[in-house]
Amino acid sequence: MSTWDRLLRWEDSHRFVVDAVGAVLFFVVVSPLSLVTGVGMAPSSDAMLGWTLLLVAPLAWRRVQPVASAGAVYAVGLAQLVVAPTVLPGDLAVLVALYSVTVHGPVWAHRAAIACALAAGVLLPLRLVADMTAPVVTVAALLIGTSSLTVWAFGLVRRSRRETLEALVDRAVRLENERDQQAQLATQAERARIAREMHDIVAHSLSVVIAQADGGRYAAESDPGAAGRALETIAETGRAALTDMRRLLGVLRSEPDGRLRATADGPGVLRRAPLTEVAPQPGESDIPRLVDQVRASGAQVSLVRMGEPRPLPPGVGLAVYRITQEALTNVLKHAGPAPRVTVVVQWRPDSIELDVTDDGRGASAGTDGLGQGLRGMHERATMFGGSVTAGPRPGGGYRVRARLPFPDRPRTAAPDA
């Protein structure tokens, strides 16, 4: 910010002080002139100084209280016209008041001010030179009216510029607030997405690892081969979870040049990387692999696919996969030993439905009290206009049902029969 800008800002924040000093300087300049240039009935010197002081003093409030200041100046001018019709240098305060109320006052105030000024431009010459010829009166009236209209026009231009600047400043402030709000909303949405992904990856992987570790420990004495298979499953699950974690956390890192690092499932600028570092997001077609992974943990999982599969958008396919993953993770954590699980994926004309049921402990199962998994399933389904219901089954066990509608597609006319 330049020195001139700082000076203007200080002047705008101290209007009364600046205007009061200006009124004092104006009075100092016009007071000596009032003693030698009085025209008309020529009142005494003290009277001329008094009228000048009364005309100039309200100018100290010309921007703080523009309507009251202009009203006081106009009232003093009218009293001078009635009591002592004289033209004084201090009468220029009327034009200053007209300019101030035009720039800083309401619309009705500056319209009333210019009307009064034009009326005074007719009455004052008649009052001063009533015994003179008509041309003199006409010239004086035109001079006063022209001066008033010129000052009023300059005031309107200044007012228009001030209102434009205020509108631009207000718009900039609102845009800045809107930008900050959008940034906060985007940050919250991204945090929620990352939290869902982290929960799905970590909870499922750790549940599989714990189940395999427990099974391998019990089977190590009687079947060493089962322990080896359990360790192999643990290693594969850990590597898959580590890959998913690296892909997810890559969204939060930046390149050395400050650009956002892009991954297969995150925004940003694509970077040059080996093909082994990126992979597509899991979808509905990866549910069989997920079922095999859970089946290897000791659960008896059956997969039923009904209807005619069709391509899904990546977001919907990922939501179906994550809901299935979370439901199976809850089975591993809460259903008890060796539960029987049925996963039904049904393709309908307008939606895809998922049903995961088990015969585990159901309502008697314990909980960690956080409910992040169920919340994440509801959030994923709601994001695409779907719904999720979860709860104990009447005959025992637990059931999770989800329905996600297909995105709207343009309809084509059916061919004639």
Side-chain angles (χ1 to χ4, degrees):
M1 182 181 296
S2 63
T3 304
W4 178 253
D5 293 333
R6 288 194 296 268
L7 182 61
L8 290 178
R9 177 170 295 184
W10 181 90
E11 186 268 344
D12 187 69
S13 60
H14 299 80
R15 290 184 173 184
F16 177 75
V17 176
V18 175
D19 293 341
V21 173
V24 171
L25 295 178
F26 184 66
F27 178 77
V28 171
V29 172
V30 300
S31 295
L33 298 177
S34 300
L35 299 177
V36 297
T37 58
V39 178
M41 297 178 66
S44 63
S45 299
D46 295 338
M48 287 188 292
L49 292 177
W51 286 115
T52 302
L53 178 61
L54 292 176
L55 286 168
V56 174
L59 296 181
W61 291 270
R62 69 182 188 88
R63 288 187 295 176
V64 178
Q65 297 289 338
V67 177
S69 175
V73 173
Y74 273 60
V76 174
L78 180 61
Q80 178 190 353
L81 178 63
V82 174
V83 176
T86 305
V87 176
L88 299 174
D91 292 329
L92 293 176
V94 176
L95 297 180
V96 177
L98 173 61
Y99 175 82
S100 300
V101 76
T102 303
V103 176
H104 303 285
V107 176
W108 67 267
H110 73 75
R111 289 179 178 175
I114 185 60
C116 294
L118 294 178
V122 176
L123 296 177
L124 182 59
L126 293 176
R127 180 70 170 164
L128 291 176
V129 292
D131 56 342
M132 295 185 181
T133 59
V136 177
V137 176
T138 303
V139 171
L142 289 176
L143 179 62
I144 297 175
T146 303
S147 302
S148 300
L149 290 174
T150 302
V151 171
W152 186 54
F154 275 109
L156 290 178
V157 173
R158 176 61 181 171
R159 180 190 182 91
S160 176
R161 183 174 182 274
R162 180 181 61 84
E163 291 177 348
T164 302
L165 291 178
E166 290 178 353
L168 292 176
V169 170
D170 180 70
R171 182 172 181 270
V173 171
R174 287 189 286 107
L175 289 176
E176 185 176 357
N177 293 335
E178 183 179 355
R179 180 202 62 190
D180 295 340
Q181 292 175 357
Q182 292 294 336
Q184 292 177 0
L185 293 177
T187 301
Q188 294 175 359
E190 185 66 13
R191 286 177 178 175
R193 187 188 73 84
I194 293 175
R196 288 195 302 266
E197 295 291 334
M198 290 279 289
H199 178 272
D200 293 339
I201 294 171
V202 175
H204 176 75
S205 302
L206 290 181
S207 298
V208 174
V209 167
I210 292 173
Q212 289 291 331
D214 291 340
R217 183 182 60 185
Y218 293 134
E221 297 179 358
S222 59
D223 187 3
R229 290 191 298 272
L231 292 176
E232 183 179 357
T233 303
I234 291 174
E236 292 178 356
T237 304
R239 280 193 291 269
L242 182 61
T243 301
D244 291 340
M245 290 289 292
R246 284 176 176 173
R247 185 187 304 117
L248 179 62
L249 296 178
V251 180
L252 306 179
R253 299 191 181 98
S254 300
E255 296 289 355
D257 58 357
R259 296 181 304 170
L260 184 65
R261 177 180 294 179
T263 60
D265 57 350
V269 182
L270 291 177
R271 62 190 179 97
R272 296 180 181 178
L275 295 177
T276 56
E277 294 188 11
V278 296
Q281 285 278 29
E284 187 275 337
S285 60
D286 296 300
I287 291 180
R289 177 175 58 83
L290 179 64
V291 169
D292 293 337
Q293 187 181 33
V294 177
R295 187 181 293 128
S297 303
Q300 302 178 23
V301 187
S302 301
L303 175 62
V304 180
R305 299 167 65 91
M306 304 172 61
E308 181 181 356
R310 66 191 68 180
L312 288 176
V316 178
L318 177 62
V320 173
Y321 178 87
R322 292 302 189 196
I323 292 174
T324 308
Q325 184 183 49
E326 178 59 30
L328 295 177
T329 300
N330 289 338
V331 170
L332 294 177
K333 292 196 299 184
H334 306 299
R340 288 191 298 270
V341 188
T342 302
V343 179
V344 179
V345 179
Q346 185 174 5
W347 296 84
R348 294 188 175 275
D350 59 345
S351 63
I352 179 173
E353 295 185 0
L354 177 68
D355 193 312
V356 181
T357 59
D358 65 82
D359 59 355
R361 290 193 290 259
S364 61
T367 178
D368 53 8
L370 299 178
Q372 298 296 330
L374 293 178
R375 182 184 304 173
M377 288 192 289
H378 283 287
E379 290 177 353
R380 289 184 184 278
T382 305
M383 187 183 305
F384 299 100
S387 60
V388 172
T389 57
R393 298 170 58 194
Y398 203 83
R399 185 175 194 176
V400 175
R401 299 192 64 180
R403 178 185 179 276
L404 279 79
F406 295 141
D408 294 334
R409 295 182 178 179
R411 297 182 179 179
T412 57
D416 295 335

